[in-house]
């Protein structure tokens, strides 16, 4: 059994790019994941979008909006995975991101790893790589 990965998504009025962000998790080559969706008291259609998916998304609604760090800590308390990754609602994962990172972590007994960043515009065109 592959290790469970908890994807922490904090969202505050992020409906503009949210579906693409969530879909980038559903398109992962690594399949044993859950999304901990922390709705940070959004007033847009973020809840409707998140709840339109299956039970791999665990939806939590905050009673009040909190700073990002606090919201992430609250979401972390709901996570069940051996590994934790963060995905902002205006970001995307490459399809093999989780698979590569889990393999790297397990083969090398790492306790943490991170990846590079590709900045894209709204049309998906690459702007820069870091």
């Amino acid at each position: 059994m592959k290790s469970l990965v908890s994807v922490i998504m904090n969202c505050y009025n992020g409906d503009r790019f949210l579906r693409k962000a969530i879909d980038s998790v559903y398109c992962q080559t690594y399949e044993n994941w859950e999304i901990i969706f922390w709705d940070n008291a959004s007033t847009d259609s973020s809840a409707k979008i998140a709840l339109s998916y299956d039970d791999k998304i665990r939806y939590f609604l905050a009673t009040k909006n909190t700073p990002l760090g606090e919201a992430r800590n609250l979401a972390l308390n709901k996570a069940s995975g051996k590994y934790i990754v963060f995905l902002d609602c205006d970001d995307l994962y490459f399809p093999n991101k989780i698979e590569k990172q889990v393999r790297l972590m397990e083969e090398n007994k790492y306790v943490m790893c991170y990846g590079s960043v590709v900045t894209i515009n709204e049309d998906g065109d690459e702007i820069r790589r870091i």
Side-chain angles (χ1 to χ4, degrees):
M1 179 78 169
K2 291 185 176 184
S3 298
L4 179 65
V5 175
S6 295
V7 179
I8 305 295
M9 288 191 77
N10 181 69
C11 182
Y12 176 67
N13 292 338
D15 65 354
R16 185 171 176 199
F17 301 109
L18 182 56
R19 189 164 299 281
K20 286 184 178 181
I22 292 172
D23 288 348
S24 77
V25 179
Y26 275 82
C27 290
Q28 289 297 299
T29 55
Y30 191 90
E31 296 177 351
N32 194 20
W33 51 262
E34 66 177 356
I35 293 176
I36 305 300
F37 190 90
W38 191 264
D39 185 339
N40 202 355
S42 296
T43 57
D44 65 359
S45 62
S46 294
K48 182 178 179 181
I49 293 168
L51 292 168
S52 72
Y53 289 84
D54 59 22
D55 62 354
K56 288 191 84 163
I57 293 185
R58 297 177 51 212
Y59 177 87
F60 299 92
L61 176 61
T63 56
K64 65 177 184 165
N65 183 269
T66 57
L68 179 60
E70 183 179 342
R72 283 184 173 167
N73 283 332
L74 292 167
L76 279 168
N77 290 327
K78 306 295 184 182
S80 302
K82 177 179 179 181
Y83 298 108
I84 304 292
V85 294
F86 293 96
L87 178 63
D88 293 333
C89 54
D90 62 347
D91 291 340
L92 305 170
Y93 282 166
F94 285 118
N96 59 354
K97 179 242 195 285
I98 295 175
E99 179 180 6
K100 281 184 166 184
Q101 286 190 305
V102 168
R103 185 173 53 245
L104 181 69
M105 299 280 291
E106 292 188 347
E107 288 176 356
N108 297 286
K109 307 260 189 270
Y110 293 152
V111 296
M112 185 181 91
C113 72
Y114 60 94
S116 58
V117 175
V118 177
T119 305
I120 59 173
N121 63 20
E122 289 185 41
D123 298 322
D125 299 322
E126 185 175 320
I127 296 171
R128 71 176 178 186
R129 285 181 181 259
I130 299 174

